[in-house]
């Protein structure tokens, strides 16, 4: 088996706890790996780096092309630009892919939910272009480019084809943002008509779309959207299948991929061995499939499914009392 070199960014808050748990599970399942552990976020400053996204960390991901990342803290309303936004832009990780599906033994309002949010990751209101025009008046620029809209639309249809999925739905607000959201719609229609007419295509205005999503998520398949809506919809979809503790994610570019859970650094439970590491373990499974390590990925999936089904080692967010470390131990004990 090939040995992989993977950049590991433990992150802030619960990040070090869930990434340590994930690392142990991946290794116990047989992944042959050299971890290149580097910081990002508040922990980078604590370790004496010059800024929250050290050049060494970016360079390592560029060199090795793959990273597993814990969440990082971003101050609200002031301070540094989000590490995540910087990382996604610097590495051109243009597609966020976030599957949200029902899990064995996790009871929620709906069964058999199987959604994938595909979020444009590099522009929209995350351009960071905010200005104070005169005191008391600020603007925030929403950027949409034909290149990025076409690229994310093509990614969504290609993903649908490769994963044998049936439908792409664009969530938009083009009735109000006629030019920016309108551009995404035009690009998605074009890619659908010219390249993927075999995949069903639909559009929904986001407000009505979110109502339909919570009324019956089973009517949707792939949800394609711009940056900010994708952020909100990722957490909404997480809520439909059991919460942030069970939803993985990846940020994909042409030259690199960074795998991370949807959740943040959860300062309210950090350092208490309370976090559910499953979302990052599942992100690790997505990473293994990206690396063509399908049999190790399957082993881990089978092991955590068994733990969930037995229901005796669940973390607090899923109604249990098992700690982060002990959940990882339970998964490891089920590896075959
Ligand atoms: P959050 O996702 O950190 O937490 C929201 C709620 O979900 C909290 O109650 C938390 O305890 C719970 N939760 C989250 N992950 C959990 C897990 N694995 N197990 C059990 N419970 C879990 O969102 P927030 O509180 O809005 O943000 C906290 C910080 O994280 C902010 O600084 C934010 O900017 C950052 N953030 C980072 C990322 C990232 O690095 N990818 C993503 C989202 C938010």
């Amino acid at each position: 088996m090939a040995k992989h070199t993977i950049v590991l960014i433990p992150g802030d808050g619960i990040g070090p706890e869930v990434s340590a748990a994930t690392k142990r599970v991946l290794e116990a399942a047989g992944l042959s790996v050299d971890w290149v552990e580097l910081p990002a976020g508040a922990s980078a400053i604590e370790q004496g780096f010059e800024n929250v996204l050290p050049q060494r960390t970016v360079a390592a991901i560029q060199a090795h092309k793959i990273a597993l990342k814990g969440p990082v803290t971003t101050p609200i309303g002031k301070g540094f630009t989000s590490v995540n936004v910087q990382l996604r832009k610097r590495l051109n990780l243009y597609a966020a892919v976030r599957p949200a599906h029902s899990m064995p033994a996790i009871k929620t309002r709906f069964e058999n939910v199987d959604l994938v949010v595909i979020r444009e990751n590099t522009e929209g209101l995350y351009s960071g272009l905010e200005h104070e025009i005169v005191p008391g008046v600020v603007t925030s620029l929403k950027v949409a480019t034909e290149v990025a809209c076409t690229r994310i639309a093509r990614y969504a249809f290609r993903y649908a084809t490769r994963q044998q999925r049936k439908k792409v739905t664009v969530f938009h607000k083009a009735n109000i943002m006629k030019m920016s959201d309108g551009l995404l719609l035009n690009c998605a229609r074009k890619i659908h008509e010219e390249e993927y007419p075999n995949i069903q295509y639909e559009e929904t205005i986001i407000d009505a779309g979110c109502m339909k999503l919570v009324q019956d998520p089973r009517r949707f398949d792939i949800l394609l959207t711009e940056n900010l809506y994708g952020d909100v919809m990722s957490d909404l979809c997480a809520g439909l299948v059991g919460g942030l503790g069970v939803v993985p994610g990846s940020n994909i570019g042409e030259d690199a991929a960074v795998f991370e859970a949807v959740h943040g650094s959860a300062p309210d439970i950090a350092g208490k061995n309370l976090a559910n590491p499953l979302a990052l373990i599942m992100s690790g499974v997505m990473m293994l499939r990206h690396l063509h390590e399908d049999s190790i990925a399957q082993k881990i999936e089978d092991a955590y499914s068994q733990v969930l089904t037995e229901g005796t080692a669940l973390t607090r967010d899923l109604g249990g009392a098992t700690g982060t470390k002990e959940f990882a131990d339970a998964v490891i004990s089920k590896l075959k």
Side-chain angles (χ1 to χ4, degrees), residues 134-258:
V134 292
V137 182
V138 294
T139 61
S140 191
L141 286 187
K142 174 161 172 162
V143 177
T145 63
E146 193 175 339
V147 167
C149 291
T150 302
R151 184 173 63 175
I152 194 67
R154 184 174 284 121
Y155 185 91
F157 282 104
R158 195 173 58 214
Y159 180 93
T161 305
R162 289 188 181 162
Q163 302 291 323
Q164 297 169 344
R165 304 191 70 113
K166 296 201 164 41
K167 184 165 74 174
V168 172
T169 305
V170 181
F171 280 62
H172 67 91
K173 192 77 185 174
N175 49 332
I176 306 298
M177 278 156 282
K178 295 177 196 295
M179 291 185 74
S180 52
D181 283 16
L183 183 59
L184 176 60
L185 283 185
N186 287 338
C187 295
R189 286 173 193 161
K190 191 160 184 276
I191 296 289
H192 171 242
E193 280 163 24
E194 292 179 3
E195 300 178 25
Y196 295 93
N198 51 320
I199 302 286
Q200 291 172 47
Y201 173 71
E202 66 179 18
E203 298 166 357
T204 180
I205 294 178
I206 187 157
D207 38 354
C210 284
M211 181 203 63
K212 292 180 202 158
L213 197 54
V214 296
Q215 277 184 326
D216 186 4
R218 288 165 296 202
R219 63 193 284 176
F220 294 103
D221 184 347
I222 288 178
L223 316 176
L224 167 62
T225 191
E226 60 86 81
N227 209 338
L228 178 62
Y229 310 152
D231 186 26
V232 177
M233 286 168 55
S234 300
D235 279 37
L236 190 160
C237 291
L240 293 170
V241 297
L244 287 166
V246 299
V247 178
S250 58
N251 301 287
I252 309 285
E254 301 297 343
D255 304 315
V258 175

Side-chain angles (χ1 to χ4, degrees), residues 69 71-74 84 244 260 262-269 276:
K69 174 183 166 296
V72 295
T73 300
T74 302
N84 295 318
L244 287 166
E260 64 176 339
V262 171
H263 64 72
S265 56
D268 52 336
I269 55 168
N276 188 348

Side-chain angles (χ1 to χ4, degrees), residues 317-331:
D317 56 312
L318 299 180
T322 299
T324 311
K325 288 193 195 106
E326 293 71 21
F327 180 84
D329 292 338
V331 174

Side-chain angles (χ1 to χ4, degrees), residues 16-220:
E17 297 165 75
V18 293
S19 52
T22 301
K23 197 173 148 186
R24 281 204 295 128
V25 170
L26 265 55
E27 287 174 6
L31 179 66
S32 174
V33 58
D34 277 331
W35 299 105
V36 178
E37 195 167 319
L38 286 164
S43 45
I45 304 293
E46 282 156 27
Q47 289 176 36
F49 282 86
E50 71 288 1
N51 65 45
V52 286
L53 184 57
Q55 179 51 31
R56 248 176 84 188
T57 304
V58 177
I61 304 174
Q62 282 166 332
H64 302 298
K65 304 191 182 310
I66 194 129
L68 183 67
K69 174 183 166 296
V72 295
T73 300
T74 302
I76 294 176
K78 57 180 169 32
F80 57 79
T81 317
S82 158
V83 173
N84 295 318
V85 173
Q86 285 188 57
L87 192 65
R88 291 164 195 167
K89 284 189 181 164
R90 297 253 321 254
L91 298 169
N92 214 359
L93 303 170
Y94 66 88
V97 181
R98 296 168 159 189
H101 53 80
S102 302
M103 306 275 287
I106 299 180
K107 293 277 165 276
T108 58
R109 200 171 291 268
F110 301 100
E111 286 175 358
N112 303 319
V113 176
D114 186 10
L115 303 167
V116 183
V117 176
I118 297 191
R119 161 188 178 191
E120 204 293 321
N121 230 359
T122 61
E123 53 181 31
L125 277 166
Y126 285 65
S127 61
L129 298 171
E130 294 196 307
H131 305 282
E132 184 173 49
I133 307 295
V134 292
V137 182
V138 294
T139 61
S140 191
L141 286 187
K142 174 161 172 162
V143 177
T145 63
E146 193 175 339
V147 167
C149 291
T150 302
R151 184 173 63 175
I152 194 67
R154 184 174 284 121
Y155 185 91
F157 282 104
R158 195 173 58 214
Y159 180 93
T161 305
R162 289 188 181 162
Q163 302 291 323
Q164 297 169 344
R165 304 191 70 113
K166 296 201 164 41
K167 184 165 74 174
V168 172
T169 305
V170 181
F171 280 62
H172 67 91
K173 192 77 185 174
N175 49 332
I176 306 298
M177 278 156 282
K178 295 177 196 295
M179 291 185 74
S180 52
D181 283 16
L183 183 59
L184 176 60
L185 283 185
N186 287 338
C187 295
R189 286 173 193 161
K190 191 160 184 276
I191 296 289
H192 171 242
E193 280 163 24
E194 292 179 3
E195 300 178 25
Y196 295 93
N198 51 320
I199 302 286
Q200 291 172 47
Y201 173 71
E202 66 179 18
E203 298 166 357
T204 180
I205 294 178
I206 187 157
D207 38 354
C210 284
M211 181 203 63
K212 292 180 202 158
L213 197 54
V214 296
Q215 277 184 326
D216 186 4
R218 288 165 296 202
R219 63 193 284 176
F220 294 103

